[in-house]
Amino acid sequence: MADVARLAGVSSQTVSRVSNGHPAVIEATRQQVLEAMRQLGYRPNSAARALRYGQFNTIGVILFNLSSTGNSRTVEAIATHAATEGYAITLIPLGAPTQDNVLGAFTRMGELAVDGVVVIIEIHLLDTNTVALPPGVHTVVVDSDAGDRYPVVDTDQADGARQAVRHLLDLGHRTVWHVAGPAESFASERRAKAWRSVLEAGGRPVPPLERGDWSAESGYQAGLRLAGRPDCTAIFAANDQMALGVLRALHEQGRQVPSQVSLVGFDDIPDASSYLPPLTTVHQDFAEVGRRCVQSLLRQIRNEPADPGTDLVPTRLVVRTSTAPPSS
């Protein structure tokens, strides 16, 4: 810093102000200091600055199951929006979402010096008090029901499922079969509950629920069972991967989509429009979920008002050619 000050012809205090982005520096002087930094290859010591000011410009992300589409795309969105705010992310995956593992992850986050934590645990833990987060830590929860204890950001799972089921009923199908995700998944249960409520509200038969694990293989196995039912003319799969498996099963069993069976997925993954036929599905705005997570956490870090409760990101149905009115 002293070398930069000498080359720029200013005080070390002015160099410090420029390094920290302080506004009380004349623009011409700021540019003079920045040019001296470039010539000397000077880089501010971020670790020392963090220790001095108690802010690390890092957001921790704790999650279970990075391989799922929703989780991986949410993490990507969090990283992208954090970077625009000058923050990096530190990621800690959990082998199993237990109380000990969650507390251990928070301890590790403390050692790694983060300003706040985003928790992505999609299974029913926070809403059943099986897992409690440590107090006094800036925290935002994704894809769970933490009640009024923490700020929560989530996709409007229920409304997305309602749009899917109503679309199929409006096409003229008598009822809609459902391939659900794992029973322990918060998102899966929200979607299944909405599927059932739409059918019941319309006085429609509620078929037995098929259960998958989010994978295309589990969708394929469910699709084989449904393909053998001539009364099954419409299927709502809880994610696009399982919908892909259902498509394969129907094709192998000679059930044509959409002329004999209509199919709707959930997520609107980038490949959904390339399915054969292109998949009607519910679009989740993962980028917006990530942005709201970062903004909610930054409000806490900056001591701005941040009320607990759930912030729902809207969904929308994307209609393609995997759905049609039932054949006569």
Side-chain angles (χ1 to χ4, degrees):
M1 188 177 290
D3 292 338
V4 172
R6 279 192 294 272
L7 181 59
V10 299
S11 67
S12 294
Q13 185 179 24
T14 299
V15 176
S16 176
R17 287 175 177 169
V18 172
S19 297
N20 292 309
H22 199 284
V25 179
I26 297 172
E27 185 58 30
T29 302
R30 185 188 307 279
Q31 294 303 321
Q32 190 174 331
V33 171
L34 291 174
E35 179 57 31
M37 288 180 177
R38 282 190 289 270
Q39 289 185 33
L40 295 175
Y42 172 79
R43 297 292 184 273
N45 189 325
S46 58
R49 185 168 55 188
L51 290 172
R52 180 178 180 183
Y53 295 103
Q55 184 170 327
F56 305 96
N57 282 65
T58 302
I59 293 172
V61 179
I62 298 173
L63 82 162
F64 173 64
N65 189 12
L66 180 58
S67 63
S68 75
T69 297
N71 286 359
S72 60
R73 293 183 67 184
T74 300
V75 170
E76 179 185 17
I78 290 171
T80 299
H81 289 288
T84 64
E85 296 285 350
Y87 280 73
I89 70 164
T90 295
L91 180 65
I92 295 186
L94 300 181
T98 64
Q99 178 72 62
D100 287 345
N101 282 349
V102 171
L103 291 178
F106 268 87
T107 299
R108 180 82 188 281
M109 285 294 181
E111 295 170 352
L112 295 172
V114 301
D115 299 305
V117 178
V118 178
V119 180
I120 308 175
I121 303 178
E122 69 160 5
I123 68 175
H124 287 281
L125 290 177
L126 294 176
D127 53 335
T128 59
N129 293 320
T130 304
V131 167
L133 304 182
V137 180
H138 299 312
T139 303
V140 174
V141 175
V142 182
D143 200 11
S144 188
D145 186 1
D148 292 329
R149 290 176 293 163
Y150 317 100
V152 176
V153 178
D154 192 17
T155 295
D156 196 338
Q157 313 284 352
D159 186 60
R162 285 192 291 266
Q163 292 180 60
V165 178
R166 287 170 181 160
H167 169 67
L168 292 167
L169 295 180
D170 289 344
L171 286 172
H173 295 276
R174 179 169 174 264
T175 190
V176 177
W177 297 71
H178 184 41
V179 181
E184 64 271 16
S185 165
F186 173 82
S188 170
E189 290 307 282
R190 283 291 187 271
R191 296 170 195 178
K193 184 178 179 180
W195 158 77
R196 181 179 299 274
S197 66
V198 171
L199 294 181
E200 290 176 344
R204 305 301 181 94
V206 180
L209 181 143
E210 294 286 343
R211 184 72 70 179
D213 62 6
W214 299 129
S215 69
E217 176 60 26
S218 69
Y220 173 70
Q221 296 300 327
L224 289 176
R225 294 188 291 270
L226 294 176
R229 300 193 61 103
D231 57 337
C232 175
T233 67
I235 301 171
F236 166 45
N239 77 334
D240 291 347
Q241 290 297 111
M242 292 193 297
L244 178 60
V246 171
L247 270 176
R248 175 192 166 196
L250 293 173
H251 174 74
E252 289 181 356
Q253 298 303 309
R255 301 291 301 277
Q256 296 181 1
V257 177
S259 60
Q260 292 178 298
V261 181
S262 286
L263 177 63
V264 178
F266 201 111
D267 283 341
D268 194 23
I269 63 175
D271 295 337
S273 62
S274 297
Y275 285 13
L276 189 62
L279 184 66
T280 295
T281 184
V282 177
H283 178 80
Q284 292 200 75
D285 192 344
F286 295 106
E288 180 63 14
V289 170
R291 188 191 71 81
R292 294 191 191 188
C293 285
V294 172
Q295 292 304 316
S296 177
L297 201 56
L298 291 182
R299 283 195 293 272
Q300 296 179 54
I301 294 170
R302 295 164 180 167
N303 294 316
E304 299 173 0
D307 296 331
T310 301
D311 181 11
L312 289 179
V313 177
T315 55
R316 59 182 174 86
L317 184 71
V318 179
V319 178
R320 299 191 177 101
T321 55
S322 67
T323 54
S327 61
S328 57

Coordinates of all heavy atoms in Angstrom, one line a residue, residues 134-203:
P134 N -29.1 -23.5 14.1 CA -28.5 -22.7 15.2 C -29.1 -21.3 15.3 O -29.2 -20.7 14.2 CB -27.0 -22.8 14.9 CG -26.8 -23.9 14.0 CD -28.1 -24.0 13.2
P135 N -29.3 -20.8 16.4 CA -29.8 -19.4 16.5 C -28.7 -18.4 16.3 O -27.5 -18.7 16.4 CB -30.3 -19.3 18.0 CG -29.5 -20.3 18.7 CD -29.2 -21.4 17.8
G136 N -29.1 -17.2 15.9 CA -28.1 -16.1 15.7 C -27.3 -16.1 14.5 O -26.3 -15.4 14.3
V137 N -27.7 -17.0 13.5 CA -27.0 -17.0 12.2 C -27.9 -16.5 11.1 O -29.1 -16.9 11.1 CB -26.6 -18.5 11.9 CG1 -25.9 -18.5 10.5 CG2 -25.7 -19.1 13.0
H138 N -27.4 -15.6 10.3 CA -28.2 -15.1 9.2 C -28.6 -16.3 8.3 O -27.7 -17.0 7.7 CB -27.5 -14.1 8.4 CG -27.1 -12.9 9.2 ND1 -28.1 -12.2 10.0 CD2 -26.0 -12.2 9.3 CE1 -27.5 -11.2 10.6 NE2 -26.2 -11.1 10.2
T139 N -29.9 -16.6 8.1 CA -30.2 -17.9 7.4 C -31.4 -17.6 6.5 O -32.4 -16.9 6.9 CB -30.6 -19.0 8.4 OG1 -29.5 -19.2 9.3 CG2 -30.9 -20.3 7.7
V140 N -31.4 -18.3 5.3 CA -32.6 -18.3 4.4 C -32.8 -19.8 4.1 O -31.8 -20.5 3.8 CB -32.4 -17.5 3.2 CG1 -33.5 -17.7 2.2 CG2 -32.3 -16.0 3.5
V141 N -34.0 -20.3 4.1 CA -34.3 -21.7 3.8 C -35.0 -21.8 2.5 O -35.8 -20.9 2.1 CB -35.2 -22.3 4.9 CG1 -35.6 -23.7 4.6 CG2 -34.5 -22.2 6.3
V142 N -34.6 -22.8 1.7 CA -35.2 -23.0 0.4 C -36.0 -24.4 0.4 O -35.5 -25.4 0.9 CB -34.2 -23.0 -0.7 CG1 -34.8 -23.2 -2.1 CG2 -33.4 -21.8 -0.7
D143 N -37.2 -24.4 -0.3 CA -37.8 -25.7 -0.5 C -38.1 -26.4 0.7 O -37.9 -27.6 0.8 CB -37.0 -26.5 -1.5 CG -37.8 -27.6 -2.2 OD1 -39.1 -27.5 -2.1 OD2 -37.2 -28.5 -2.8
S144 N -38.7 -25.8 1.7 CA -39.1 -26.4 2.9 C -40.1 -25.6 3.6 O -40.5 -24.5 3.1 CB -37.9 -26.7 3.9 OG -38.3 -27.5 5.0
D145 N -40.7 -26.1 4.7 CA -41.7 -25.3 5.4 C -41.1 -25.0 6.8 O -41.3 -25.9 7.7 CB -43.0 -26.0 5.5 CG -44.1 -25.2 6.2 OD1 -43.8 -24.0 6.5 OD2 -45.2 -25.6 6.3
A146 N -40.5 -23.9 7.0 CA -39.9 -23.6 8.3 C -40.8 -22.8 9.2 O -40.4 -22.2 10.2 CB -38.5 -22.9 8.1
G147 N -42.0 -22.7 8.8 CA -43.0 -21.9 9.6 C -42.6 -20.4 9.6 O -42.2 -19.8 8.6
D148 N -42.6 -19.8 10.8 CA -42.3 -18.4 11.0 C -40.9 -18.3 11.6 O -40.6 -17.2 12.1 CB -43.3 -17.7 11.8 CG -44.7 -17.6 11.1 OD1 -44.6 -17.5 9.8 OD2 -45.7 -17.6 11.7
R149 N -40.1 -19.4 11.6 CA -38.8 -19.3 12.3 C -37.7 -18.7 11.5 O -36.8 -18.1 12.0 CB -38.4 -20.7 12.8 CG -39.3 -21.3 13.9 CD -38.9 -22.7 14.2 NE -39.2 -23.6 13.1 CZ -38.7 -24.8 13.0 NH1 -37.8 -25.2 13.8 NH2 -39.1 -25.6 12.0
Y150 N -37.8 -18.9 10.1 CA -36.8 -18.4 9.2 C -37.4 -17.9 8.0 O -38.5 -18.3 7.6 CB -35.8 -19.5 8.8 CG -35.4 -20.5 9.9 CD1 -36.0 -21.7 10.1 CD2 -34.4 -20.1 10.8 CE1 -35.7 -22.5 11.1 CE2 -34.0 -20.9 11.9 CZ -34.7 -22.2 12.0 OH -34.3 -23.0 13.0
P151 N -36.8 -16.9 7.3 CA -37.2 -16.6 5.9 C -37.1 -17.8 5.0 O -36.1 -18.4 5.0 CB -36.3 -15.4 5.5 CG -35.7 -14.9 6.8 CD -35.6 -16.1 7.7
V152 N -38.2 -18.0 4.2 CA -38.2 -19.1 3.3 C -38.5 -18.6 1.9 O -39.3 -17.7 1.7 CB -39.3 -20.1 3.7 CG1 -39.4 -21.3 2.6 CG2 -39.1 -20.7 5.0
V153 N -37.7 -19.1 0.9 CA -38.0 -18.8 -0.5 C -38.3 -20.1 -1.2 O -37.5 -21.1 -1.1 CB -36.8 -18.1 -1.2 CG1 -37.1 -17.9 -2.7 CG2 -36.4 -16.8 -0.5
D154 N -39.4 -20.2 -2.0 CA -39.7 -21.4 -2.6 C -40.6 -21.2 -3.8 O -41.2 -20.1 -4.0 CB -40.6 -22.3 -1.6 CG -40.7 -23.7 -2.1 OD1 -40.0 -24.2 -3.0 OD2 -41.6 -24.4 -1.6
T155 N -40.6 -22.1 -4.8 CA -41.5 -22.1 -5.9 C -42.9 -22.4 -5.4 O -43.1 -23.2 -4.4 CB -41.1 -23.2 -6.9 OG1 -39.8 -22.9 -7.4 CG2 -42.1 -23.3 -8.0
D156 N -43.9 -21.8 -6.0 CA -45.3 -22.1 -5.6 C -45.6 -23.5 -6.2 O -46.3 -23.7 -7.2 CB -46.2 -21.1 -6.2 CG -47.6 -21.1 -5.6 OD1 -48.0 -22.1 -5.0 OD2 -48.3 -20.1 -5.6
Q157 N -45.2 -24.5 -5.4 CA -45.4 -25.9 -5.8 C -46.9 -26.2 -6.1 O -47.2 -26.9 -7.1 CB -44.8 -26.9 -4.8 CG -43.5 -26.5 -4.2 CD -42.4 -26.8 -5.2 OE1 -42.6 -27.5 -6.2 NE2 -41.2 -26.4 -4.9
A158 N -47.7 -25.9 -5.1 CA -49.1 -26.2 -5.2 C -49.8 -25.6 -6.4 O -50.6 -26.3 -7.1 CB -49.8 -25.8 -3.9
D159 N -49.6 -24.4 -6.7 CA -50.2 -23.7 -7.8 C -49.8 -24.3 -9.1 O -50.5 -24.5 -10.1 CB -50.0 -22.2 -7.8 CG -50.8 -21.5 -8.9 OD1 -52.0 -21.6 -8.8 OD2 -50.2 -20.9 -9.7
G160 N -48.5 -24.6 -9.2 CA -48.0 -25.3 -10.4 C -48.7 -26.6 -10.7 O -49.1 -26.9 -11.8
A161 N -48.9 -27.4 -9.6 CA -49.6 -28.7 -9.8 C -51.0 -28.5 -10.2 O -51.6 -29.2 -11.0 CB -49.5 -29.5 -8.5
R162 N -51.7 -27.5 -9.6 CA -53.1 -27.2 -9.9 C -53.2 -26.8 -11.4 O -54.1 -27.2 -12.1 CB -53.6 -26.0 -9.0 CG -53.9 -26.5 -7.6 CD -54.7 -25.4 -6.8 NE -53.9 -24.2 -6.6 CZ -53.2 -24.0 -5.5 NH1 -53.2 -24.9 -4.5 NH2 -52.5 -22.9 -5.3
Q163 N -52.3 -26.0 -11.9 CA -52.3 -25.6 -13.3 C -52.2 -26.8 -14.2 O -52.9 -27.0 -15.2 CB -51.2 -24.7 -13.6 CG -51.3 -23.3 -13.0 CD -50.1 -22.4 -13.4 OE1 -49.8 -22.1 -14.5 NE2 -49.3 -22.0 -12.4
A164 N -51.3 -27.8 -13.8 CA -51.1 -29.0 -14.7 C -52.4 -29.8 -14.7 O -52.8 -30.3 -15.8 CB -50.0 -29.8 -14.1
V165 N -53.0 -30.1 -13.5 CA -54.2 -30.9 -13.5 C -55.4 -30.3 -14.1 O -56.1 -30.9 -14.9 CB -54.5 -31.3 -12.0 CG1 -55.7 -32.1 -11.9 CG2 -53.3 -32.0 -11.4
R166 N -55.6 -29.0 -13.9 CA -56.7 -28.3 -14.5 C -56.6 -28.3 -16.1 O -57.5 -28.4 -16.8 CB -56.8 -26.9 -14.0 CG -57.3 -26.8 -12.5 CD -57.2 -25.4 -12.0 NE -57.7 -25.4 -10.6 CZ -57.3 -24.5 -9.7 NH1 -56.5 -23.5 -10.1 NH2 -57.8 -24.5 -8.5
H167 N -55.3 -28.1 -16.5 CA -55.1 -28.2 -18.0 C -55.6 -29.5 -18.6 O -56.3 -29.5 -19.6 CB -53.6 -28.0 -18.3 CG -53.2 -28.3 -19.7 ND1 -53.6 -27.5 -20.8 CD2 -52.5 -29.3 -20.2 CE1 -53.1 -28.0 -21.9 NE2 -52.4 -29.0 -21.6
L168 N -55.3 -30.6 -17.9 CA -55.7 -31.9 -18.4 C -57.2 -32.1 -18.3 O -57.9 -32.6 -19.2 CB -55.0 -33.0 -17.7 CG -53.4 -33.1 -18.0 CD1 -52.7 -34.0 -17.0 CD2 -53.2 -33.6 -19.4
L169 N -57.8 -31.6 -17.2 CA -59.3 -31.7 -17.1 C -60.0 -30.9 -18.1 O -61.0 -31.3 -18.7 CB -59.7 -31.4 -15.7 CG -59.2 -32.3 -14.5 CD1 -59.7 -31.8 -13.2 CD2 -59.6 -33.7 -14.8
D170 N -59.4 -29.7 -18.3 CA -60.1 -28.8 -19.3 C -60.0 -29.3 -20.7 O -60.8 -29.0 -21.6 CB -59.4 -27.4 -19.3 CG -59.7 -26.6 -18.0 OD1 -60.6 -27.0 -17.3 OD2 -58.9 -25.6 -17.7
L171 N -59.0 -30.2 -21.0 CA -59.0 -30.8 -22.3 C -60.1 -31.9 -22.5 O -60.3 -32.3 -23.6 CB -57.6 -31.5 -22.5 CG -56.4 -30.5 -22.8 CD1 -55.1 -31.3 -22.8 CD2 -56.6 -29.8 -24.1
G172 N -60.7 -32.3 -21.4 CA -61.8 -33.2 -21.4 C -61.5 -34.6 -20.8 O -62.3 -35.5 -20.9
H173 N -60.3 -34.7 -20.2 CA -60.0 -36.0 -19.5 C -60.9 -36.2 -18.3 O -61.1 -35.2 -17.5 CB -58.5 -36.1 -19.2 CG -57.7 -36.1 -20.4 ND1 -57.4 -37.3 -21.1 CD2 -57.0 -35.1 -21.1 CE1 -56.6 -37.0 -22.2 NE2 -56.4 -35.7 -22.2
R174 N -61.3 -37.4 -18.1 CA -62.2 -37.7 -16.9 C -61.5 -37.5 -15.6 O -62.1 -37.0 -14.6 CB -62.8 -39.1 -17.0 CG -63.7 -39.5 -15.9 CD -64.4 -40.8 -16.2 NE -65.2 -41.3 -15.1 CZ -64.8 -42.2 -14.2 NH1 -63.6 -42.7 -14.3 NH2 -65.6 -42.6 -13.2
T175 N -60.3 -37.9 -15.5 CA -59.4 -37.8 -14.3 C -58.0 -37.8 -14.7 O -57.7 -37.9 -15.9 CB -59.7 -38.9 -13.3 OG1 -59.0 -38.6 -12.1 CG2 -59.2 -40.3 -13.8
V176 N -57.1 -37.6 -13.8 CA -55.6 -37.5 -14.0 C -54.9 -38.4 -13.1 O -55.1 -38.4 -11.9 CB -55.2 -36.0 -13.8 CG1 -53.7 -35.9 -14.1 CG2 -55.9 -35.1 -14.8
W177 N -54.0 -39.3 -13.6 CA -53.2 -40.1 -12.8 C -51.9 -39.3 -12.4 O -51.5 -38.5 -13.2 CB -52.9 -41.4 -13.5 CG -54.1 -42.2 -13.8 CD1 -55.1 -41.9 -14.7 CD2 -54.5 -43.4 -13.2 NE1 -56.1 -42.9 -14.7 CE2 -55.7 -43.9 -13.8 CE3 -53.9 -44.3 -12.2 CZ2 -56.3 -45.0 -13.4 CZ3 -54.5 -45.4 -11.8 CH2 -55.7 -45.8 -12.4
H178 N -51.3 -39.7 -11.3 CA -50.2 -38.9 -10.8 C -49.0 -39.8 -10.5 O -49.2 -40.8 -9.8 CB -50.6 -38.1 -9.6 CG -49.5 -37.2 -9.1 ND1 -48.7 -36.5 -9.9 CD2 -49.1 -36.9 -7.8 CE1 -47.8 -35.8 -9.2 NE2 -48.0 -36.0 -7.9
V179 N -47.8 -39.5 -11.0 CA -46.6 -40.1 -10.6 C -45.9 -39.1 -9.7 O -45.3 -38.1 -10.2 CB -45.7 -40.5 -11.8 CG1 -44.4 -41.1 -11.4 CG2 -46.5 -41.4 -12.8
A180 N -45.9 -39.4 -8.4 CA -45.4 -38.5 -7.4 C -43.9 -38.7 -7.1 O -43.4 -39.8 -7.5 CB -46.2 -38.6 -6.1
G181 N -43.2 -37.8 -6.5 CA -41.9 -38.0 -6.1 C -41.8 -38.7 -4.7 O -42.9 -39.2 -4.2
P182 N -40.7 -38.7 -4.1 CA -40.6 -39.4 -2.8 C -41.5 -38.8 -1.7 O -41.7 -37.6 -1.7 CB -39.1 -39.2 -2.4 CG -38.4 -38.8 -3.7 CD -39.4 -38.1 -4.5
A183 N -42.0 -39.6 -0.8 CA -43.0 -39.2 0.2 C -42.3 -38.2 1.2 O -43.0 -37.4 1.7 CB -43.5 -40.4 0.9
E184 N -41.0 -38.3 1.4 CA -40.3 -37.5 2.3 C -40.0 -36.1 1.8 O -39.5 -35.2 2.5 CB -39.1 -38.1 2.9 CG -38.0 -38.3 1.8 CD -38.1 -39.7 1.1 OE1 -39.2 -40.3 1.2 OE2 -37.1 -40.1 0.5
S185 N -40.3 -35.9 0.5 CA -39.9 -34.6 -0.2 C -41.1 -33.6 0.1 O -42.2 -33.9 -0.2 CB -39.7 -34.8 -1.7 OG -39.8 -33.6 -2.3
F186 N -40.7 -32.4 0.5 CA -41.6 -31.3 0.7 C -42.3 -31.0 -0.6 O -43.5 -30.8 -0.7 CB -40.9 -30.1 1.3 CG -41.8 -28.9 1.4 CD1 -42.7 -28.7 2.4 CD2 -41.7 -27.9 0.4 CE1 -43.4 -27.6 2.5 CE2 -42.4 -26.7 0.5 CZ -43.3 -26.6 1.6
A187 N -41.5 -30.8 -1.7 CA -42.1 -30.4 -3.0 C -43.0 -31.5 -3.5 O -44.1 -31.2 -4.0 CB -40.9 -30.1 -4.0
S188 N -42.6 -32.7 -3.4 CA -43.4 -33.8 -3.9 C -44.8 -33.9 -3.2 O -45.8 -34.0 -3.9 CB -42.7 -35.1 -3.6 OG -43.5 -36.2 -3.9
E189 N -44.8 -33.7 -1.9 CA -46.0 -33.8 -1.2 C -46.9 -32.6 -1.5 O -48.2 -32.7 -1.5 CB -45.8 -33.9 0.3 CG -45.2 -35.3 0.7 CD -46.0 -36.4 0.2 OE1 -47.1 -36.7 0.8 OE2 -45.7 -37.0 -0.9
R190 N -46.3 -31.4 -1.7 CA -47.1 -30.2 -2.0 C -47.8 -30.4 -3.4 O -49.0 -30.1 -3.6 CB -46.3 -29.0 -2.1 CG -45.9 -28.4 -0.7 CD -47.1 -27.8 0.0 NE -46.8 -27.1 1.2 CZ -46.7 -27.7 2.4 NH1 -47.0 -29.0 2.5 NH2 -46.4 -27.0 3.5
R191 N -47.1 -31.0 -4.3 CA -47.7 -31.2 -5.6 C -48.7 -32.3 -5.6 O -49.8 -32.2 -6.2 CB -46.5 -31.6 -6.6 CG -45.5 -30.5 -6.8 CD -44.3 -31.0 -7.6 NE -43.2 -30.0 -7.4 CZ -42.0 -30.1 -7.9 NH1 -41.7 -31.2 -8.6 NH2 -41.1 -29.1 -7.7
A192 N -48.5 -33.4 -4.8 CA -49.5 -34.5 -4.8 C -50.7 -34.0 -4.1 O -51.8 -34.4 -4.5 CB -48.9 -35.7 -4.0
K193 N -50.6 -33.2 -3.0 CA -51.8 -32.7 -2.3 C -52.6 -31.8 -3.2 O -53.8 -31.9 -3.2 CB -51.3 -31.9 -1.1 CG -52.5 -31.4 -0.2 CD -52.0 -30.7 1.0 CE -53.1 -30.2 1.9 NZ -52.6 -29.5 3.1
A194 N -52.0 -31.0 -4.0 CA -52.7 -30.1 -4.9 C -53.4 -30.9 -6.0 O -54.5 -30.6 -6.4 CB -51.7 -29.1 -5.6
W195 N -52.7 -32.0 -6.6 CA -53.3 -32.9 -7.6 C -54.6 -33.4 -7.0 O -55.7 -33.4 -7.7 CB -52.3 -34.0 -7.9 CG -52.9 -35.2 -8.5 CD1 -53.4 -35.4 -9.8 CD2 -53.1 -36.4 -7.8 NE1 -53.9 -36.7 -9.9 CE2 -53.7 -37.3 -8.7 CE3 -52.9 -36.9 -6.5 CZ2 -54.1 -38.7 -8.4 CZ3 -53.2 -38.2 -6.2 CH2 -53.8 -39.1 -7.1
R196 N -54.5 -34.0 -5.8 CA -55.7 -34.6 -5.2 C -56.8 -33.6 -5.0 O -58.0 -33.9 -5.2 CB -55.3 -35.3 -3.9 CG -56.5 -36.0 -3.2 CD -56.0 -36.6 -1.9 NE -54.9 -37.6 -2.2 CZ -55.2 -38.9 -2.5 NH1 -56.5 -39.3 -2.6 NH2 -54.2 -39.8 -2.7
S197 N -56.5 -32.4 -4.5 CA -57.5 -31.4 -4.1 C -58.3 -30.9 -5.4 O -59.5 -30.7 -5.3 CB -56.9 -30.2 -3.4 OG -56.0 -29.5 -4.2
V198 N -57.6 -30.8 -6.5 CA -58.2 -30.3 -7.7 C -59.2 -31.4 -8.2 O -60.4 -31.1 -8.6 CB -57.2 -30.1 -8.8 CG1 -57.9 -29.8 -10.2 CG2 -56.4 -28.8 -8.5
L199 N -58.8 -32.7 -8.1 CA -59.7 -33.7 -8.5 C -60.9 -33.8 -7.6 O -62.1 -33.9 -8.0 CB -59.0 -35.1 -8.5 CG -57.9 -35.3 -9.6 CD1 -57.3 -36.6 -9.4 CD2 -58.4 -35.0 -11.0
E200 N -60.7 -33.7 -6.3 CA -61.8 -33.8 -5.3 C -62.8 -32.6 -5.5 O -64.0 -32.8 -5.4 CB -61.2 -33.9 -3.9 CG -60.6 -35.2 -3.6 CD -59.9 -35.3 -2.2 OE1 -59.7 -34.2 -1.6 OE2 -59.6 -36.4 -1.8
A201 N -62.2 -31.4 -5.7 CA -63.0 -30.2 -5.8 C -63.9 -30.3 -7.1 O -65.0 -29.8 -7.1 CB -62.2 -29.0 -5.9
G202 N -63.5 -31.0 -8.1 CA -64.2 -31.2 -9.3 C -65.1 -32.4 -9.3 O -65.7 -32.7 -10.4
G203 N -65.1 -33.1 -8.2 CA -65.9 -34.4 -8.2 C -65.4 -35.5 -9.1 O -66.2 -36.3 -9.5

